Amino acid sequence: MTSALLAAALLNAGCTGSGDGEPRAGSPPTTAPHGYVEGATESAEQQSRLVLGDPATGATRVLDLISGEVHDTGRRAGVTGLTTDGRFGYFSGADGTEVLDSGAWMVDHGDHVHYYRAKIRHVGRFPAGAGAGIRGDSGATVVTDSAGRAKVYRRADLERGTTGAAVELPGVFAGPVVPAGEHLIALRRADGGGTPRTVVLDRRGRLIASPGTGCEDPRGDAVTRRGVVFGCADGAVLVAGTGTGTGTDGGYTAVRIPYGAKTPERERAGAFRYRPGSATLTALAGKNAILVLDVDKRTWTRVETGPVVAANTAGAGSPLLVLRTDGALYGYDITTGRQLSATRPLLRNPSAAGAGKGPAPVIEVDRSRAYLNDPEGRRVYEIDYNDGLRIARTFDPGIRPVLMAETGR
């Protein structure tokens, strides 16, 4: 069981009480229904929203995928990047990172899930700007700046509409520090340099475990149901465990997942794209292929696609979705590499953005739909990837959606 799964189990235990949905004998009465969150409405289905931004104008929007309504969320000058933790959108730029509460999120209790929607609101600003890595879960948000210094913010403060005070972690890290369960998983640099090594910390920076496995030249990270993955020069490292052991490992392990063949630097995996909760990760492998990492099987698969701009997948059994330079979206069988489907060209010259004219388009994927942003066409496409890549809906967000991230998952 990974630390993330352990956290889900603990949340589930706290959520279900005595196990029959009724208060324990002698407990104080309560009028709040199960799963109640003050100021939010609980829903039976996922409340997906897209956070969008145009760096050229600073305009930002939130697109509600349930109602189709577009919310104007103001202008943020100097924005160059956007990330999310499933609820909050983090617009980064040279002067800092603006935090936007998208008002849509989920809480996974292991055997059941709660979906929530609330008002969209501006939260505040983190001092770290362009180049910062921001990772968050239900308890903490960690901001790792470009120099490798990390600060931990309480998620409860963000939920109340303020960034609050931060705890600065000791040490210098190679890439983002990743919250998982009650702990933080990271690659810490040694004082004298050398290869960064895996560590597990508590949320104040105290060492919990030192699995010890190194990760040379790290690129990309992902939180999966099997643990936290870091991309390395020779493949990847998977950090997982219950956190209940003793000694230097603390019950954690750090397992290498090598490529299995010599991989040129230009064809290594970089940023991972995947559906949150999945254990199947995708990454561009140079200009003409995609690398797929199956964390369950601990294997890499290279899929030859031709000239590629972006990729993603919902996970095992779902097609690999690939945006090629011709502007069309393609579906591939991950196991065989066979092309299964294709759309007409949807974007005009999508590779221009990735060639130094801004961020390349992205493919966001949830359990039933995929979303593709078209900056030049000022559109967002909703794709039914289980129905031959059928275009289910087309949205006009009122801006060039250069930046896009999905929340509510």
Side-chain angles (χ1 to χ4, degrees):
M1 179 185 288
T2 68
S3 56
L5 288 176
L6 176 64
L10 292 173
L11 281 169
N12 186 37
C15 178
T16 57
S18 60
D20 57 6
E22 297 297 329
R24 288 187 177 91
S27 64
T30 177
T31 57
H34 171 64
Y36 172 77
V37 174
E38 184 177 1
T41 300
E42 186 171 4
S43 301
E45 61 181 354
Q46 183 172 296
Q47 300 297 296
S48 297
R49 292 176 176 176
L50 294 178
V51 181
L52 305 167
D54 180 1
T57 64
T60 65
R61 300 285 190 272
V62 172
L63 169 59
D64 189 321
L65 294 169
I66 302 299
S67 67
E69 183 179 1
V70 177
H71 301 265
D72 186 337
T73 48
R75 293 184 181 273
R76 291 168 171 79
V79 167
T80 57
L82 169 65
T83 59
T84 185
D85 57 14
R87 173 174 178 175
F88 297 93
Y90 303 103
F91 288 98
S92 60
D95 297 330
T97 297
E98 297 284 344
V99 184
L100 177 70
D101 187 347
S102 74
W105 70 97
M106 62 168 279
V107 177
D108 188 348
H109 286 178
D111 64 346
H112 66 287
V113 176
H114 296 279
Y115 299 107
Y116 298 99
R117 58 188 298 121
K119 291 183 179 180
I120 301 165
R121 60 179 175 175
H122 174 69
V123 173
R125 175 188 288 258
F126 292 143
I134 303 177
R135 305 292 185 267
D137 68 1
S138 60
T141 298
V142 186
V143 180
T144 310
D145 66 22
S146 57
R149 299 290 183 178
K151 293 181 178 180
V152 182
Y153 294 83
R154 295 176 66 247
R155 174 67 171 247
D157 289 333
L158 270 62
E159 292 171 352
R160 286 193 290 266
T162 177
T163 56
V167 173
E168 186 165 357
L169 301 178
V172 179
F173 302 93
V177 175
V178 182
E182 296 299 314
H183 299 139
L184 308 174
I185 315 297
L187 295 168
R188 189 157 63 185
R189 296 188 183 279
D191 292 339
T195 301
R197 308 194 78 80
T198 54
V199 293
V200 181
L201 312 172
D202 70 13
R203 289 184 175 173
R204 301 197 69 84
R206 292 182 289 256
L207 185 66
I208 298 297
S210 299
T213 302
C215 181
E216 184 179 351
D217 192 18
R219 298 183 194 173
D221 56 271
V223 178
T224 77
R225 64 176 181 268
R226 300 303 181 198
V228 175
V229 174
F230 295 104
C232 310
D234 59 353
V237 167
L238 169 66
V239 183
T242 64
T244 59
T246 59
T248 57
D249 68 353
Y252 281 85
T253 60
V255 180
R256 293 187 183 278
I257 309 176
Y259 286 128
K262 187 174 181 179
T263 302
E265 190 275 340
R266 66 181 181 278
E267 295 182 4
R268 285 177 44 200
F272 292 112
R273 301 290 300 179
Y274 61 106
R275 177 182 62 78
S278 170
T280 305
L281 313 181
T282 69
L284 272 62
K287 297 180 178 180
N288 295 292
I290 300 297
L291 283 171
V292 179
L293 173 57
D294 186 325
V295 180
D296 286 327
K297 297 179 180 178
R298 298 181 183 178
T299 58
W300 293 90
T301 301
R302 180 183 171 95
V303 180
E304 301 293 341
T305 60
V308 60
V309 177
N312 209 332
T313 184
S318 297
L320 170 65
L321 305 179
V322 175
L323 175 66
R324 291 177 46 171
T325 55
D326 61 3
L329 191 67
Y330 294 79
Y332 291 85
D333 184 295
I334 292 177
T335 303
T336 66
R338 182 171 63 91
Q339 181 182 316
L340 302 174
S341 53
T343 69
R344 60 177 172 80
L346 301 175
L347 278 66
R348 184 177 63 183
N349 194 22
S351 59
K357 298 182 180 179
V362 298
I363 303 169
E364 291 283 0
V365 178
D366 58 34
R367 290 186 179 277
S368 62
R369 294 288 190 268
Y371 298 92
L372 173 65
N373 57 326
D374 177 8
E376 296 307 313
R378 301 172 68 93
R379 292 180 292 256
V380 174
Y381 293 101
E382 180 182 73
I383 309 294
D384 185 347
Y385 56 79
N386 290 315
D387 188 16
L389 304 183
R390 176 178 61 86
I391 299 173
R393 292 186 290 179
T394 302
F395 299 99
D396 177 4
I399 62 171
R400 295 175 65 250
V402 176
L403 305 173
M404 182 176 76
E406 185 177 356
T407 63
R409 302 179 293 181

